[in-house]
Amino acid sequence: MAMDASEIERLIKQGIPDADVEITDLRGDGDHYAAMVVSASFEGLPRVRQHQMVYEALQGNMGEALHALALQTSAPKA
Amino acid sequence: MLDEVTKDRISQEVANGDVVLFMKGSAVFPQCGFSATAVQILSHLNIKFRGIDVLSDPAIREGIKEYSQWPTIPQLYVKGEFVGGCDIMREMFETGELQEIFTDKQVALASAGREVG
């Protein structure tokens, strides 16, 4: 099972509306992605919490349909 | 659903070592690239850790996700505190924050005379 990049992006933006999302297909196989998510709502939060917010936005797909998503999160640089 | 028995078992595992890594496969033979990366980082930092193979224990494998509120494996615990998964470990390793956690929490290094290589 896999998800396509646009669906991942859509879910993240739906969960975190101001997010800047960049998805990279790491192997070109539609199953191994890297996601860079930048959002002001991450400001001041520990990294674990930032990733949890993205996972929440992915509504249970992470670890299931989406096995391999390398995640990087940050708040926008001032 | 995380039942009480599984929850207690996980709590015990977490408390059972300074550094505990819930992973797929063993430290010697990781069964997944993300778990392998986590092991590499800890080995590189010369950190002694206990690896728990979730593949050999379905209850822990499902239970740990709910316990940590974290959907993927590996998962790193240091002195009972959840640090994060593979991506967080890698990022914190690159920025030096991971080393700081081990220093701050006074985690013992693996044997000093360990061979390099």
Side-chain angles (χ1 to χ4, degrees):
Chain A
M1 257 211 297
M3 285 174 79
D4 68 41
S6 59
E7 176 69 0
I8 299 170
E9 186 174 339
R10 191 185 68 77
L11 284 173
I12 295 176
K13 283 191 167 160
Q14 186 180 301
I16 310 171
D18 79 321
D20 220 342
V21 183
E22 194 184 314
I23 311 277
T24 313
D25 189 335
L26 292 175
R27 293 194 194 159
D29 64 357
D31 201 24
H32 297 78
Y33 295 103
M36 174 93 87
V37 183
V38 180
S39 163
S41 61
F42 294 152
E43 194 75 58
L45 294 178
R47 231 180 237 113
V48 172
R49 184 66 202 121
Q50 297 177 8
H51 283 220
Q52 273 170 339
M53 285 170 67
V54 176
Y55 291 150
E56 275 162 27
L58 290 168
Q59 299 175 9
N61 285 296
M62 191 64 200
E64 301 294 332
L66 198 52
H67 163 71
L69 176 71
L71 189 58
Q72 211 182 332
T73 56
S74 63
K77 297 205 168 53
Chain B
M1 266 288 287
L2 183 58
D3 59 85
E4 286 301 314
V5 177
T6 308
K7 195 175 164 189
D8 285 350
R9 283 181 56 212
I10 293 175
S11 297
Q12 273 172 22
E13 296 285 16
V14 165
N16 211 355
D18 278 3
V19 183
V20 180
L21 183 71
F22 292 86
M23 60 178 292
K24 292 182 179 173
S26 68
V28 176
F29 193 34
Q31 301 278 323
C32 158
F34 297 98
S35 291
T37 301
V39 168
Q40 267 175 9
I41 290 172
L42 294 175
S43 303
H44 182 81
L45 293 175
N46 199 24
I47 295 296
K48 190 174 153 200
F49 68 97
R50 231 161 61 77
I52 295 167
D53 180 9
V54 302
L55 295 180
S56 65
D57 198 325
I60 299 265
R61 181 180 185 174
E62 284 313 307
I64 190 68
K65 296 179 184 175
E66 205 171 319
Y67 185 88
S68 310
Q69 301 280 299
W70 195 258
T72 55
I73 288 157
Q75 298 187 6
L76 178 70
Y77 277 84
V78 179
K79 297 229 170 160
E81 188 188 322
F82 178 55
V83 175
C86 173
D87 298 327
I88 287 182
M89 285 178 69
R90 183 165 27 204
E91 212 178 325
M92 293 182 81
F93 170 64
E94 283 164 4
T95 60
E97 289 164 85
L98 195 59
Q99 294 86 320
E100 271 173 36
I101 289 183
F102 293 130
T103 312
D104 288 352
K105 294 188 181 268
Q106 301 184 343
V107 169
L109 295 181
S111 59
R114 183 172 170 270
E115 270 183 79
V116 179

